[in-house]
Amino acid sequence: MKRKIYWNMCLVALFSMVVATLVTTWLFCRDLQEQMQLAVRTEVRYLESAVEVSGKEYLAHLASRGDGNNINRITWIGEDGTVLYDSYADSESLENHRDRPEVVSAFQTGAGESVRISDTLAEQTYYYARKLTDGTIIRVASTTSSGLATMVHTVPWMIVMAVVIFGVTMVLAELQTKRIVDPINRLDPKNPQAEQVYDELAPLVRRLEKQKETIREQMETLREKQEEFTAITENMREGFIVVDSKADVISYNSSAVRILGVDMEKNGNGNINVLSLNRSNSFRQVVDEALAGQRCEQNLDLNGRHYQIIANPVAESENRWGAVVVILDVTEQQNREGLRREFTANVSHELKTPLTSISGYAEIMKNGLVPAADMGRFSEKIYVEAQRLITLVGDIIKLSRLDEGNVELEKGPVDLYQIASEVVKRMGDMANKAGVAIDIKGSPAVVSGAAQLLDEMIFNICENAVKYNKPGGLVHVTVVKEKGHPTVTVEDTGIGIPEEDKERIFERFYRVDKSHSKQIGGTGLGLSIVKHGAIYHQAKVEMESRLGEGTRIRLVF
């Protein structure tokens, strides 16, 4: 802009100088012509008066002075157009002047004038004629340089003057340009203020200020959205990776790095190809298909866990695709699926066993193969298996309702010590048969709950403590308040639980020692009911066990 202003100022100055020179020269030439014409007309009036008085003697006197050829040309013309006198030439050698424009006009109006240019355009002659009283014409002619010739003669001086003026103009233009541009250069783009610049630039600066504020607001919005996006992706358990059409990583979250087990810092700030993060066929396939514009899902096993990889294409342009890769941890889902299959198999097995027994005994009785003396024993067997089946179905229904939170039990104040005491009494015969001693100690501890469910929870824990104990073993039941929390503790000296089974003993139908469990019976749902009953009462189940030494289970309300 500075150069443009500078050269524009120089060109304007040059153009102004040329126009001014031409106009001045034209005005000067016109002024000289007017003065010359005025002098010629004045001289004609003097000659007119002199000739009217003295006639040809005055003209002869002019010729005798010897200066007639150095001043203006004087011509005296008769009524018929013949030249009676000429100060520059012999009158007899001159042709008739009757047809000259100034002469024609003088004969008609009493005065006439004309201007004739030389063939070379270098000179012009002004003729002025007046008619005398005797009918003759007195004419004076003055020859001067033409306007074009005058301008041509002034060209060298004009060039010299133009060079000098243009040089001075360039210096002044440079200084003036700096002076004009300086306020603009000093304008702070980060903080433009309209009052600091020219009035002509104030609207632009105001628009810049408004645009800057708009950009600031947009940047703030983008920053907030980026922070929200980062907060969301960084707090996702799922891995999240965005790649461009070249499979280079654009964005990722920490979960993706953790799942894939890579160190992104080792890759520096350069482009990272997503396929370098995991080179398995499954990972490569989902990325390739997504970049080809197709959604793809694959499973991937890493570090003992199961993941589902979902890649969705994202259009960068008409024929170019990027991709968003999401890595989901489906370990728990697959484990639950496995548990579901195991539960289905266990339910089928647990239902099939009593049903098979009932069907077998009934078939024998139907065919009359049972003596009358044994009918009671066979009927008892059918009754026992039917009761076992009813108990199993009841426990399954109860667990289902506890899972759904749809248990219709009346809640009220319940003394845990009283319930535990009744359970211990009921367990007396079973404990004696197993050769196990069971006792209770503690103090009243009242909670708000369902008495029937609490009774079943404590009974299931005590029953397991007796069943999985050793002959001559002990079962201690304690009910106390610990730090304001009612607590029921059942501790035995039984076979204990292996470390690898501790996480699963509360699962449905899960048995630590399956051969021993078959001998002692049971549905395998007792501890599952304890777990869900504790959830129903917002209680906590704590378990400690050592293999061969015993187990301690606590219900903390």
Side-chain angles (χ1 to χ4, degrees):
M1 184 180 73
K2 182 179 178 180
R3 291 290 93 192
K4 192 172 183 180
I5 294 175
Y6 172 76
W7 286 114
N8 283 342
M9 292 180 67
C10 292
L11 291 174
V12 169
L14 181 62
F15 175 77
S16 302
M17 180 186 63
V18 171
V19 171
T21 302
L22 293 176
V23 171
T24 301
T25 303
W26 177 78
L27 292 174
F28 178 72
C29 292
R30 190 187 68 172
D31 187 61
L32 288 178
Q33 292 295 329
E34 290 178 351
Q35 291 182 11
M36 178 269 294
Q37 291 174 6
L38 179 61
V40 169
R41 287 195 291 269
T42 302
E43 185 176 357
V44 168
R45 290 191 182 94
Y46 288 148
L47 289 173
E48 179 183 8
S49 300
V51 173
E52 287 283 0
V53 175
S54 303
K56 191 172 182 179
E57 288 79 4
Y58 179 73
L59 298 176
H61 172 71
L62 290 178
S64 65
R65 290 173 55 185
D67 56 0
N69 292 332
N70 296 325
I71 313 177
N72 295 331
R73 184 176 183 177
I74 302 172
T75 305
W76 189 22
I77 303 170
E79 292 182 80
D80 58 355
T82 58
V83 178
L84 302 177
Y85 171 80
D86 190 272
S87 61
Y88 275 26
D90 184 9
S91 59
E92 295 181 357
S93 63
L94 297 176
E95 59 185 6
N96 192 288
H97 283 33
R98 179 74 181 180
D99 58 346
R100 303 297 169 87
E102 67 278 6
V103 175
V104 173
S105 179
F107 278 129
Q108 293 176 353
T109 62
E113 62 182 351
S114 67
V115 178
R116 288 191 279 278
I117 307 297
S118 65
D119 294 338
T120 61
L121 302 179
E123 292 181 339
Q124 64 179 6
T125 303
Y126 174 71
Y127 296 91
Y128 184 76
R130 287 187 68 86
K131 184 177 180 181
L132 303 181
T133 56
D134 59 0
T136 60
I137 301 296
I138 187 71
R139 187 189 70 174
V140 175
S142 178
T143 301
T144 60
S145 297
S146 66
L148 178 62
T150 302
M151 293 181 65
V152 169
H153 289 310
T154 59
V155 166
W157 293 102
M158 289 175 60
I159 294 175
V160 173
M161 182 174 62
V163 171
V164 174
I165 294 177
F166 192 70
V168 174
T169 301
M170 290 178 68
V171 175
L172 294 177
E174 178 71 21
L175 297 175
Q176 190 66 12
T177 300
K178 290 181 178 179
R179 183 171 173 270
I180 293 172
V181 174
D182 184 61
I184 301 175
N185 290 336
R186 288 189 287 105
L187 184 65
D188 185 4
K190 296 182 179 179
N191 187 26
Q193 296 181 1
E195 61 273 9
Q196 295 181 352
V197 296
Y198 302 112
D199 293 340
E200 294 78 6
L201 292 178
L204 174 62
V205 173
R206 292 191 186 97
R207 285 195 293 271
L208 289 175
E209 291 176 345
K210 186 176 180 180
Q211 185 179 38
K212 177 188 173 185
E213 182 62 23
T214 302
I215 292 174
R216 189 192 65 78
E217 292 175 356
Q218 292 176 347
M219 291 296 294
E220 183 65 20
T221 302
L222 288 175
R223 185 187 63 80
E224 291 177 357
K225 290 185 178 297
Q226 178 66 29
E227 289 179 354
E228 290 176 3
F229 177 78
T230 302
I232 292 172
T233 56
E234 285 300 318
N235 286 284
M236 288 171 54
R237 292 181 56 193
E238 297 80 6
F240 179 82
I241 304 174
V242 182
V243 299
D244 60 15
S245 58
K246 297 179 181 178
D248 289 335
V249 176
I250 299 176
S251 179
Y252 61 90
N253 66 352
S254 56
S255 294
V257 175
R258 174 181 53 79
I259 292 172
L260 297 176
V262 296
D263 187 358
M264 302 298 283
E265 295 181 357
K266 290 184 178 179
N267 295 284
N269 297 324
N271 293 336
I272 304 171
N273 191 281
V274 69
L275 298 179
S276 66
L277 304 181
N278 186 278
R279 302 185 181 277
S280 65
N281 291 332
S282 300
F283 195 81
R284 180 181 294 274
Q285 182 178 350
V286 294
V287 172
D288 289 343
E289 291 196 20
L291 293 180
Q294 299 294 326
R295 185 180 186 275
C296 184
E297 296 183 13
Q298 287 290 334
N299 293 323
L300 181 66
D301 293 334
L302 286 173
N303 303 319
R305 299 192 69 82
H306 307 290
Y307 297 96
Q308 183 182 24
I309 307 174
I310 303 174
N312 284 292
V314 179
E316 289 185 359
S317 60
E318 185 175 353
N319 296 317
R320 296 179 61 189
W321 298 88
V324 175
V325 181
V326 179
I327 307 173
L328 305 176
D329 189 342
V330 294
T331 304
E332 299 300 329
Q333 179 181 346
Q334 291 198 4
N335 289 342
R336 285 195 298 270
E337 182 64 22
L339 291 175
R340 185 192 65 79
R341 290 193 295 268
E342 184 179 348
F343 173 74
T344 303
N346 287 334
V347 168
S348 300
H349 175 74
E350 295 292 340
L351 290 174
K352 182 179 179 181
T353 301
L355 286 173
T356 301
S357 298
I358 292 172
S359 177
Y361 287 122
E363 185 178 4
I364 294 174
M365 293 172 67
K366 175 185 176 183
N367 293 331
L369 300 177
V370 180
D374 294 332
M375 287 293 289
R377 183 170 58 87
F378 273 71
S379 299
E380 183 181 359
K381 290 285 187 181
I382 293 174
Y383 176 78
V384 170
E385 294 297 333
Q387 287 299 117
R388 178 183 174 190
L389 186 61
I390 292 172
T391 302
L392 176 61
V393 173
D395 287 346
I396 292 174
I397 293 173
K398 189 178 299 180
L399 275 174
S400 176
R401 289 178 177 175
L402 286 171
D403 279 340
E404 296 174 358
N406 192 24
V407 180
E408 297 180 358
L409 296 175
E410 183 179 351
K411 279 189 174 183
V414 179
D415 185 356
L416 294 176
Y417 183 81
Q418 181 181 352
I419 290 180
S421 298
E422 293 174 357
V423 168
V424 170
K425 289 179 182 178
R426 295 203 307 269
M427 292 293 301
D429 291 341
M430 180 180 178
N432 290 333
K433 291 179 182 179
V436 176
I438 182 170
D439 59 37
I440 182 171
K441 62 180 179 179
S443 58
V446 179
V447 297
S448 176
Q452 180 184 347
L453 183 56
L454 290 170
D455 181 275
E456 188 169 356
M457 291 166 60
I458 297 174
F459 181 86
N460 287 340
I461 298 174
C462 292
E463 184 181 33
N464 282 346
V466 172
K467 284 182 179 180
Y468 296 97
N469 214 317
K470 303 172 184 177
L474 301 174
V475 176
H476 300 292
V477 180
T478 306
V479 181
V480 294
K481 276 192 174 183
E482 294 182 358
K483 299 180 180 179
H485 296 282
T487 304
V488 178
T489 303
V490 179
E491 185 173 6
D492 64 62
T493 59
I495 61 176
I497 302 172
E499 193 68 31
E500 63 273 12
D501 293 319
K502 288 181 179 179
E503 296 294 328
R504 301 195 61 187
I505 63 170
F506 292 99
E507 296 176 7
R508 296 171 175 86
F509 298 110
Y510 187 81
R511 301 176 188 269
V512 176
D513 186 350
K514 294 180 175 58
S515 60
H516 186 61
S517 298
K518 289 180 180 178
Q519 295 174 3
I520 62 176
T523 64
L525 298 175
L527 290 182
S528 293
I529 294 175
V530 172
K531 172 186 174 183
H532 287 81
I535 295 173
Y536 178 78
H537 288 93
Q538 298 181 354
K540 182 170 61 174
V541 181
E542 297 177 353
M543 190 265 302
E544 297 178 9
S545 182
R546 290 186 181 181
L547 189 62
E549 297 183 8
T551 302
R552 181 174 67 175
I553 295 179
R554 301 173 72 236
L555 295 176
V556 182
F557 293 84

